[in-house]
């Protein structure tokens, strides 16, 4: 088994790797272009966000008729129905107005007017970059990922104060899952077809529960910090079990962590949660028998049938290919070599016996240094 120092070094390597890959992504010209695009969109008030959602729940990027033309080289499609938002009417106050309103301000909001805006889907023209250009949700599936997801969900429900439930994706407003601090509840999109993405989402929301719950020291972090931290934990956890989520996680983190200082600070704080998630996952995979090589002690190899020996060899080969921990991979290779050596010795004995039974077959002139190369 790997030592504590080896495990610690492996975890540190995963976190460092995620940081470096995210930094490389944020240095790319394409990502800088994306940030420039974001800067052109106005930041709307909560009231206007509610208005936009009420009129067009599918809206993602909105701007006025002229702004689409001047800033994005796009035109609003003919017949498109506008989304109305509230714009304040600001007038200069007379002394009488100041007295009536009990203020010394020279200008104040005296009313609202409703202005038309349009969603990107209602326009045509040059492409507009969005976070989806950096977030790919097609994760490589994993043979045992469904079992681990169910085991992790059961563990959280039975052994912690968290409640994990599933709801249809259609009810989650485009999200894959969420954490509700007030109720200490994690909700996952139960009909998500990609099992690896489903597990990664559970890791992500679990990280939120540990880092951003009501009693957490980091609960007041800006959302950019919170999303960066949670996704970095999910990335590390998935890498630990051998499922590469780089395309999804790194792009997702980068769209939130637009400032390198945010990335450095956020990642420096997730080490403790990453360690906890890895330890939980390792414990569960061991319980499920997903992590252990087929147990065949060295002294029992000679007692195995040829069929069982070959089966053991194939199993260990697969274990070596799937292992992500360098120390674990090294130990599996040693076991694989032992099995290989036993197969080699049996083969040589069978060849020798065959040669003795068939004296007419010419024997090799040199047999002392016979080796099987692999």
């Amino acid at each position: 088994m790997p030592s504590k120092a080896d495990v610690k070094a492996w975890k540190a390597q995963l976190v460092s790797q995620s940081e470096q890959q995210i930094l490389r992504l944020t240095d790319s010209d394409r990502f800088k272009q994306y940030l420039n695009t974001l800067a052109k969109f106005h930041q709307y008030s909560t009231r206007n966000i509610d208005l936009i959602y009420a009129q067009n729940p599918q809206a993602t990027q909105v701007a006025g008729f002229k702004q689409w033309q001047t800033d994005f080289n796009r035109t609003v499609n003919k017949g498109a129905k506008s989304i109305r938002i509230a714009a304040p009417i600001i007038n200069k106050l007379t002394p009488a107005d100041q007295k009536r309103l009990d203020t010394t301000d020279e200008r104040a909001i005296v009313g609202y007017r409703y202005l038309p805006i349009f969603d990107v889907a209602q326009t045509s023209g040059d492409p507009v970059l969005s976070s989806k250009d950096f977030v790919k949700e097609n994760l490589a599936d994993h043979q045992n990922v469904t079992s681990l997801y169910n085991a992790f969900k059961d563990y959280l429900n039975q052994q912690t104060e968290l409640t994990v439930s599933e709801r249809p994706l259609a009810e989650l407003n485009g999200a894959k899952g969420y954490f509700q601090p007030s109720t200490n509840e994690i909700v996952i999109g139960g009909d998500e077809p990609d099992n690896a993405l489903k597990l990664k989402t559970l890791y992500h929301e679990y990280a939120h529960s540990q880092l951003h719950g009501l009693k957490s020291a980091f609960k007041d972090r800006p959302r950019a910090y919170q999303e960066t931290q949670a996704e970095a934990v999910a990335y590390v956890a998935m890498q630990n079990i051998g499922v590469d989520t780089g395309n999804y996680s790194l792009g997702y983190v980068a769209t939130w962590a637009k400032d390198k200082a945010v990335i450095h600070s956020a990642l420096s704080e997730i080490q403790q949660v990453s360690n906890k998630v890895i330890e939980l996952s390792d414990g569960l995979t061991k319980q499920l028998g997903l992590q252990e090589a087929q147990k065949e002690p060295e002294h029992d190899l000679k007692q195995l049938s040829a069929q069982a020996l070959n089966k053991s060899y194939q199993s260990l080969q697969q274990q070596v290919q799937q292992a992500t921990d360098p120390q674990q991979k090294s130990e599996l290779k040693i076991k694989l070599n032992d099995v290989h050596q036993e197969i080699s010795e049996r083969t040589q004995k069978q060849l020798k016996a065959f040669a003795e039974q068939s004296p007419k077959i010419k024997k090799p002139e040199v047999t002392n240094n016979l080796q099987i190369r692999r």
Side-chain angles (χ1 to χ4, degrees), residues 166-178:
E166 295 184 354
R167 293 182 189 172
L169 287 168
E171 297 180 8
L172 303 186
N173 295 325
K176 301 297 181 184
Y178 64 84

Side-chain angles (χ1 to χ4, degrees), residues 63-79:
F65 188 96
K66 289 185 178 180
Q67 189 186 6
W68 278 121
Q69 293 179 324
T70 57
D71 289 351
F72 301 101
N73 197 26
R74 293 178 70 88
T75 56
V76 175
N77 298 333
K78 186 176 181 180

Side-chain angles (χ1 to χ4, degrees), residues 19 115 181 363:
E19 181 180 29
L115 300 179
K363 297 179 182 179

Side-chain angles (χ1 to χ4, degrees), residues 136-142 145-146 169 176 189 191-201 238 243:
K136 299 179 181 178
E137 299 181 356
N138 239 351
L139 305 183
D141 207 346
H142 186 266
V145 79
T146 302
L169 287 168
K176 301 297 181 184
D191 52 346
E192 167 58 51
D194 190 326
N195 293 327
L197 182 56
K198 200 172 176 182
L199 175 61
K200 189 209 69 65
T201 301
M238 294 297 279
V243 180

